Amino acid sequence: MKDFFTTRHTVRQFTKDVVDDRLLTELIEAASHAPTTGNMQLYSVVVTRSEEGKAALAPTHFDQPCVSGCSVLLTFCADYNRFVKWCNQRNASPGYDNFQSFVTAVLDTVIFAQQFCTLAEMNGLGVCYLGTTTYNAPQIADILGLPAMVVPVVTLAVGYPAAEGKVSDRLPVDGIMHNERYHDYTADDIDRIYSLKESLAESKRFVEENGKQTLAQVFTDVRYTRQACEQFSKIYLDFIRNAGYSLPD
Amino acid sequence: MKDFFTTRHTVRQFTKDVVDDRLLTELIEAASHAPTTGNMQLYSVVVTRSEEGKAALAPTHFDQPCVSGCSVLLTFCADYNRFVKWCNQRNASPGYDNFQSFVTAVLDTVIFAQQFCTLAEMNGLGVCYLGTTTYNAPQIADILGLPAMVVPVVTLAVGYPAAEGKVSDRLPVDGIMHNERYHDYTADDIDRIYSLKESLAESKRFVEENGKQTLAQVFTDVRYTRQACEQFSKIYLDFIRNAGYSLPD
């Protein structure tokens, strides 16, 4: 069982086989039994199967091939809309138009999405998380017709794997675990923790292909730049506010 | 396999049996193979086993009995500290002191925590999520000695289950799934989606015990009040800013 978890990996290329509607619904139903805050289930998932739907969403995910190449695209959204409608219909006064509630809904949403991911992988499907969801939330919301209080958080591309995937490296476990108190990292710790990753042929290729001196520079200068992080910070935070979650000063 | 996921449930009461250190480390190591943004692993987990550690943390979780009653308490933190130290040590200029980066780290952290939860449950352990982690982040950070860019997100109480647990109800799956576009809920939809939950003996007892007219009022007036949500919004957002993640206006 543990081996399944340590050898799982992201799948970005899929066969043309369709993920059966009944299987998909069963997996989503099973995933909904994952933990959720106060059993409120503060999430929704929008299923995109149509070619038009995928084509509309593709640019919001920077045209990653797995968006058009997958069988089904699942956009997981933090959702207080349903719960607040229920409260209003039951003579209750909801106070969930704030940041804490948004965070709570995000936790529920990601727990649910990850449980779905595990279930899908256990059933022979391949899954790719699209982190671009928070970058282009306004366009995604527009395409999917999301009402107030519904915020896209993660998207999963799902299908049958087209090829053997590659298991990624991970940091040594003592690099992410702390005993009783957080022991901050010394320069030697950092060297040790990242040494395996830096020694991989794939990492060296990344550095070379991007004309950089270090692997860290590939992250800071190419993959996740300050300019992009700051731009998308503003877009996402504005979207959250406009969706009805106010932020204190 | 699906049955395992649909019958899983939160465990709040534990036996005195200790979760073996080796098992815990194995489960955390396996969970770290869960998906992570750009393979950055933007999280840390702080392990609390000592009686003193649990006693110090108990008030931050409003003295829920599972905090002192569990074998081990795991505080999962969004963590750019390690990654930024690596960047700085490798002649790279990190631009991760912003909201988008914070959200990315939260996603990584929750995916990791949920994968741990599933692995723990599959290995006969019981787990309880403590949503109080985001409420009292400043005190938790102080107790655990968290440096800048490390933000507590979720805590899991872990141990061997003391008794048969109860499987919670969930909304019907069509209440959380949308086909191609979000279909907003009509008043009839809301009635139908929440009817099972409202009909449960447990729900009726909650309403009565709290002297309310509807189950929704138990949520809005007792469990998750506007006053508390707004208070904890400010505390958490201030904490995030102070931890080094700036927010655009």
Side-chain angles (χ1 to χ4, degrees):
Chain A
M1 180 48 59
K2 194 162 60 58
D3 288 352
F4 172 82
F5 287 85
T6 55
T7 59
R8 65 148 302 281
H9 50 80
T10 292
V11 171
R12 292 186 179 81
Q13 290 187 298
F14 304 100
T15 67
K16 292 285 168 204
D17 295 315
V18 170
V19 178
D20 182 69
D21 243 330
R22 189 185 201 155
L23 173 64
L24 181 71
T25 304
E26 275 184 10
L27 296 177
I28 289 175
E29 200 280 329
S32 78
H33 288 270
T36 154
T37 309
N39 201 7
M40 292 188 282
Q41 294 185 256
L42 302 167
Y43 50 71
S44 277
V45 57
V46 186
V47 178
T48 305
R49 282 189 179 281
S50 71
E51 291 307 311
E52 312 84 68
K54 289 181 204 163
L57 286 170
T60 72
H61 297 296
F62 302 140
D63 295 312
Q64 292 175 74
C66 66
V67 174
S68 50
C70 70
S71 171
V72 60
L73 207 62
L74 300 177
T75 307
F76 290 83
C77 304
D79 187 342
Y80 255 105
N81 169 56
R82 182 177 55 240
F83 194 78
V84 162
K85 279 195 157 70
W86 176 59
C87 291
N88 286 330
Q89 231 166 284
R90 295 294 185 268
N91 199 27
S93 299
Y96 307 127
D97 50 354
N98 45 59
F99 183 68
Q100 181 66 232
S101 301
F102 171 71
V103 171
T104 301
V106 168
L107 302 188
D108 268 24
T109 304
V110 180
I111 289 169
F112 171 51
Q114 178 52 23
Q115 197 78 331
F116 173 85
C117 176
T118 297
L119 273 152
E121 290 175 344
M122 285 185 159
N123 281 271
L125 297 172
V127 178
C128 180
Y129 268 86
L130 302 173
T132 34
T133 312
T134 60
Y135 300 172
N136 297 309
Q139 294 89 325
I140 293 169
D142 193 45
I143 293 163
L144 302 181
L146 306 184
M149 307 211 80
V150 181
V151 178
V153 177
V154 289
T155 301
L156 301 186
V158 185
Y160 288 93
E164 276 294 304
K166 206 189 122 296
V167 179
S168 299
D169 63 291
R170 288 295 187 264
L171 302 176
V173 69
D174 67 319
I176 57 166
M177 263 178 96
H178 301 263
N179 189 23
E180 298 290 332
R181 278 178 70 86
Y182 191 103
H183 292 89
D184 207 353
Y185 304 94
T186 64
D188 283 351
D189 291 334
I190 294 292
D191 284 343
R192 182 179 55 79
I193 291 167
Y194 287 91
S195 64
L196 169 66
K197 182 185 292 292
E198 291 174 316
S199 72
L200 298 175
E202 182 187 65
S203 298
K204 290 178 177 168
R205 205 184 68 232
F206 279 151
V207 175
E208 198 176 301
E209 282 176 357
N210 288 288
K212 295 293 163 189
Q213 282 119 33
T214 68
L215 182 63
Q217 289 175 352
V218 178
F219 284 93
T220 59
D221 301 356
V222 183
R223 297 189 66 185
Y224 304 97
T225 65
R226 169 175 294 281
Q227 190 268 332
C229 289
E230 290 183 351
Q231 178 193 345
F232 294 126
S233 288
K234 180 153 176 48
I235 291 172
Y236 200 47
L237 208 49
D238 282 348
F239 182 83
I240 293 165
R241 284 190 187 104
N242 291 335
Y245 299 98
S246 72
L247 271 73
D249 295 328
Chain B
M1 180 48 61
K2 195 162 60 60
D3 288 352
F4 172 82
F5 286 85
T6 55
T7 59
R8 66 148 300 284
H9 50 80
T10 292
V11 171
R12 292 186 179 81
Q13 289 186 298
F14 304 100
T15 67
K16 292 284 168 207
D17 295 315
V18 170
V19 178
D20 181 70
D21 242 329
R22 189 186 201 155
L23 172 64
L24 181 71
T25 304
E26 275 185 10
L27 296 177
I28 290 175
E29 200 280 330
S32 77
H33 288 270
T36 153
T37 309
N39 201 7
M40 291 188 283
Q41 294 184 256
L42 301 167
Y43 51 72
S44 276
V45 56
V46 186
V47 178
T48 305
R49 282 188 179 281
S50 71
E51 291 308 312
E52 313 82 69
K54 289 181 204 162
L57 286 169
T60 72
H61 297 296
F62 302 140
D63 295 311
Q64 291 175 74
C66 66
V67 173
S68 51
C70 69
S71 172
V72 60
L73 207 62
L74 300 177
T75 307
F76 290 82
C77 304
D79 187 342
Y80 255 105
N81 169 56
R82 181 178 56 240
F83 194 79
V84 162
K85 279 197 156 69
W86 177 59
C87 291
N88 287 329
Q89 231 167 285
R90 294 295 183 268
N91 199 27
S93 299
Y96 306 128
D97 51 353
N98 45 59
F99 183 68
Q100 181 66 232
S101 302
F102 171 70
V103 171
T104 301
V106 168
L107 302 188
D108 268 24
T109 305
V110 180
I111 289 169
F112 171 52
Q114 177 52 24
Q115 197 79 328
F116 173 85
C117 175
T118 297
L119 274 152
E121 290 175 344
M122 285 185 159
N123 282 271
L125 297 172
V127 178
C128 181
Y129 267 86
L130 302 173
T132 33
T133 312
T134 61
Y135 300 172
N136 297 310
Q139 294 88 327
I140 293 169
D142 192 47
I143 292 163
L144 302 181
L146 306 184
M149 306 211 81
V150 181
V151 178
V153 177
V154 288
T155 301
L156 300 186
V158 185
Y160 288 94
E164 276 294 305
K166 206 189 121 298
V167 179
S168 299
D169 64 290
R170 288 293 187 266
L171 301 177
V173 69
D174 66 321
I176 57 167
M177 263 178 97
H178 301 263
N179 189 24
E180 299 290 331
R181 277 178 70 86
Y182 191 102
H183 292 89
D184 207 352
Y185 303 94
T186 64
D188 282 352
D189 291 336
I190 294 292
D191 284 343
R192 181 179 57 79
I193 291 167
Y194 286 91
S195 64
L196 169 66
K197 183 186 291 293
E198 291 174 317
S199 72
L200 298 174
E202 183 187 65
S203 298
K204 290 178 177 168
R205 203 184 69 233
F206 279 150
V207 175
E208 197 176 303
E209 281 176 0
N210 287 287
K212 297 292 163 189
Q213 280 118 34
T214 68
L215 183 62
Q217 289 176 351
V218 178
F219 284 93
T220 59
D221 301 356
V222 183
R223 299 188 65 186
Y224 305 96
T225 66
R226 170 175 293 282
Q227 190 270 332
C229 289
E230 291 182 352
Q231 178 192 345
F232 294 127
S233 288
K234 179 152 177 49
I235 291 171
Y236 200 47
L237 208 49
D238 282 348
F239 182 83
I240 293 165
R241 283 190 187 106
N242 291 336
Y245 299 97
S246 72
L247 271 73
D249 296 327

